[in-house]
Structures are given as C-alpha cells and as structure tokens.
Amino acid sequence: MTYTFAKAHGGEIGDSIVEMDKLDVALGVEELAKKNGVELVLGSDCTATNGLDFDTMSVKPGAEIITCPANNVPAGFEGVDAGPESQKAFAEAIKGAKTILWNGPAGVFECDTFTPGSRAIGDAIAQATAEGAFSLIGGGDSVACVNKFGLADKVSYISTGGGALLEAIEGKVLPGVAAIKGE
C-alpha cells in the first residue's frame, strides 16, 4: 500500500506494485484519518532491488539492493520491503497498542533477503501481545510470516481468511456463516 499512497502524492515509485485505480481511495483514507484524529503510519523508506527472481524467490546475481525514500524509488527498481526507518516507525506504532490486527506483510518476505520489515512488525506484535495486547493475524501471507518467524505461539489469534476476516469485522454477512445459521 505504501506505493499507492506515494503515487497518489505524485511520488516516483519505480517498478513497485501500485493500485492505480485506488489513488483517490488512498487520499480519502488520509483525509478520513486526519478528520478523525487517527495517526496513519506509512512507510517513509524502503528496500528496493532491480533483480528479484519471483520464480525462485531470490535475488538475481548482480542485482542491486538499495534503501531509498518510498516516494522516490529509482526507475528500474521495485520496493520489496520496509526500510530501516519505516521498520522503526511501525514497531513504535505497535508499541503500547491494546488491539492489533495484522493483515499483510511489509514486503516480499518469501525471499529471505527481504524479511526485515515483516520481521520487525511480527516481533513488535509478539512483544505487545506479551504485554497484554490482543493480536489478530489475518490472511494467508500474514500467517505465513508468523509461522516463518516462529511467532505463532506469541500472538493471540490466527485466521487464514484475510478478506473474510476483514468483512466480518466490518459487520458484513458472510455467505458461509449465513448458511450455517439458516439465514
């Protein structure tokens, strides 16, 4: 999501994943957060590469890996993880939280080179949970992160149904639940 927000403000995001049809939604989320006094913590920097091999989930030989502002990713590079400053900001935002919902890793955690962002979030959630927070991990990728980092027993609840989980939290009727209830 970082790159969609960056692009919505005219940022340069190189080859990073962006939802061009959601730029107005990103600006709307920012406005709603501001209006309601909610701090929206977005990535300020990122780890980017010009050589991620998605088939093997590894860095191609000779590829460059850089840290750069999330709104200034060079052409030919793709943001693939939260950078060091973003990792600190995310961990700080989680610190002291009473309820945490994690729905999505910070980058391409499947490649061991790009795990630090997701790892920082997972560790911060585990720490907050140990201090009494309720932590809900939702969605297949987030669950895979928690399992990869050995944190499954350090969070409150894990759900593989990311989209369905979010819809249930929104109060939407889920067809499978409605069928079981006879609705």
Side-chain angles (χ1 to χ4, degrees):
M1 290 190 299
T2 293
Y3 309 107
T4 300
F5 281 88
K7 189 71 172 175
H9 288 283
E12 296 297 328
I13 59 165
D15 296 336
S16 305
I17 295 173
V18 62
E19 293 179 278
M20 292 299 289
D21 63 331
K22 300 289 189 228
L23 301 182
D24 58 333
V25 173
L27 295 174
V29 166
E30 289 179 336
E31 187 58 38
L32 272 173
K34 184 178 178 180
K35 177 182 170 185
N36 291 296
V38 173
E39 180 184 11
L40 183 60
V41 181
L42 297 170
S44 60
D45 66 340
C46 68
T47 300
T49 187
N50 61 358
L52 177 62
D53 184 334
F54 281 97
D55 292 330
T56 62
M57 280 301 166
S58 63
V59 179
K60 295 176 184 175
E64 294 177 71
I65 298 172
I66 62 171
T67 298
C68 60
N71 63 357
N72 195 16
V73 179
F77 281 78
E78 178 179 10
V80 290
D81 194 14
E85 294 304 314
S86 296
Q87 293 169 32
K88 290 176 194 170
F90 296 154
E92 188 61 31
I94 294 166
K95 187 178 184 179
K98 300 296 177 206
T99 304
I100 302 162
L101 170 60
W102 187 15
N103 183 260
V108 187
F109 74 96
E110 298 91 343
C111 177
D112 289 341
T113 305
F114 307 121
T115 59
S118 296
R119 177 64 148 177
I121 292 169
D123 287 345
I125 291 171
Q127 181 64 38
T129 305
E131 294 170 0
F134 176 80
S135 55
L136 176 55
I137 312 304
D141 286 340
S142 300
V143 173
C145 271
V146 167
N147 288 331
K148 180 173 185 164
F149 303 145
L151 300 173
D153 62 341
K154 294 176 174 44
V155 298
S156 306
Y157 186 80
I158 297 176
S159 169
T160 57
L165 174 66
L166 293 176
E167 288 185 5
I169 289 170
E170 290 175 27
K172 292 182 179 175
V173 175
L174 303 178
V177 175
I180 292 170
K181 290 182 173 181
E183 296 175 0

